[in-house]
Amino acid sequence: MQHWLAKELLDINAVTLSPDEPYTWSSGLKSPIYCDNRLTLSYPTLRQSIAEGMVAMIHKHYPEAEVIVGTATAGIAHAALVADKMGLPMAYVRSKSKSHGKENQIEGKVDAGAKAVIIEDLISTGGSVINVQEALLEQKVTVLGTAAIFTYGLEKGKQKLAAASLSYHTLTDYDNLLETARDNEYLTQQDVTRLRKWQSNPESTDWLASTVK
C-alpha cells in the first residue's frame, strides 16, 4: 500500500517535487515538496482505496473507535468516507470557534466519553491534529489517535505529537515517497539525497546546493 499510494499521489500531482525551484510554505519555509491531498477526492477509485486503507488502519490500531472526527477542512471528506464505511458517527473540528450562531468549534454530535479517531490528510508539524485533540479533550472526549494519508516525517512534528501524547499512523510517508519517486524517475539519486537533507533540517537552505557532498 505505501509504495502504491506514493506513486498514485505523484501521478495525480497530489504530491509535487521541485528541488531546483522550491515552494514557499505559508510559514515562509522553503520546501522541495508540496502536498495537496484534496486532489485525491477527484479520483473515485483512489479515494475509495484511501478510505479502505484508513478503515483497516483504524481496525488495527484503534479498534475501540466510536466516532470519526475530521480536521477542517482537508480531513472532512476523508472522515465522512471512513465513517460511512465503518458505520460510525462523524464530526469535524474547526481551527477555532465560529464568531456567530452557536459559536461551535466542533461540528456534529460527539458525546463526552466517546472514543474518537482524528482523520487528517497530511501531517507536517502536527499543529492541526493537536488543535483538534485539544478541542475534543475540552469536551471530555477520549482521543485514541490519528489516521492520516501522508506525513513528511519532520522531527518537529514528531516531538510535538509525542509531547501531546497523540499517536498517529499514516498510509504512506516521506521515505516511501522518495524511494518511489526515484524508482519511477521523478527524482535522481542526487535529488533524493537533497530532499533527505531538507527533511532533517527544513529551516536550513543548505539542501538547495546543487551538489550534496
Side-chain angles (χ1 to χ4, degrees), residues 76-148:
I76 294 174
H78 295 291
L81 289 165
V82 169
D84 188 59
K85 287 184 177 296
M86 297 186 72
L88 293 177
M90 177 262 174
Y92 70 90
V93 176
R94 298 174 180 273
S95 58
K96 59 183 179 180
S97 299
K98 291 192 295 186
S99 59
H100 59 281
K102 293 185 177 180
E103 300 182 353
N104 293 337
Q105 183 175 9
I106 300 174
E107 299 288 5
K109 189 177 188 306
V110 186
D111 295 326
K115 297 175 181 177
V117 173
I118 300 168
I119 300 295
E120 177 65 295
D121 75 324
L122 168 68
I123 293 177
S124 52
T125 61
S128 295
V129 289
I130 291 172
N131 181 64
V132 172
Q133 177 194 37
E134 290 173 347
L136 293 171
L137 291 177
E138 285 181 7
Q139 299 302 314
K140 303 189 185 311
V141 176
T142 300
V143 179
L144 300 177
T146 296

Side-chain angles (χ1 to χ4, degrees), residues 10-140:
L10 289 164
D11 286 348
I12 68 169
N13 290 320
V15 173
T16 52
L17 302 166
S18 184
D20 296 318
E21 297 181 13
Y23 303 101
T24 302
W25 288 1
S26 59
S27 62
L29 194 75
K30 296 293 184 182
S31 169
I33 180 172
Y34 187 80
C35 185
D36 181 8
N37 285 328
R38 293 174 180 85
L39 282 172
T40 62
L41 298 171
S42 298
Y43 297 83
T45 301
L46 177 57
R47 74 175 182 237
Q48 289 297 325
S49 295
I50 287 171
E52 290 165 2
M54 284 192 165
V55 169
M57 197 157 54
I58 291 168
H59 281 314
K60 179 178 180 180
H61 298 287
Y62 312 117
E64 55 285 46
E66 296 173 333
V67 60
I68 303 299
V69 180
T71 58
T73 58
I76 294 174
H78 295 291
L81 289 165
V82 169
D84 188 59
K85 287 184 177 296
M86 297 186 72
L88 293 177
M90 177 262 174
Y92 70 90
V93 176
R94 298 174 180 273
S95 58
K96 59 183 179 180
S97 299
K98 291 192 295 186
S99 59
H100 59 281
K102 293 185 177 180
E103 300 182 353
N104 293 337
Q105 183 175 9
I106 300 174
E107 299 288 5
K109 189 177 188 306
V110 186
D111 295 326
K115 297 175 181 177
V117 173
I118 300 168
I119 300 295
E120 177 65 295
D121 75 324
L122 168 68
I123 293 177
S124 52
T125 61
S128 295
V129 289
I130 291 172
N131 181 64
V132 172
Q133 177 194 37
E134 290 173 347
L136 293 171
L137 291 177
E138 285 181 7
Q139 299 302 314
K140 303 189 185 311

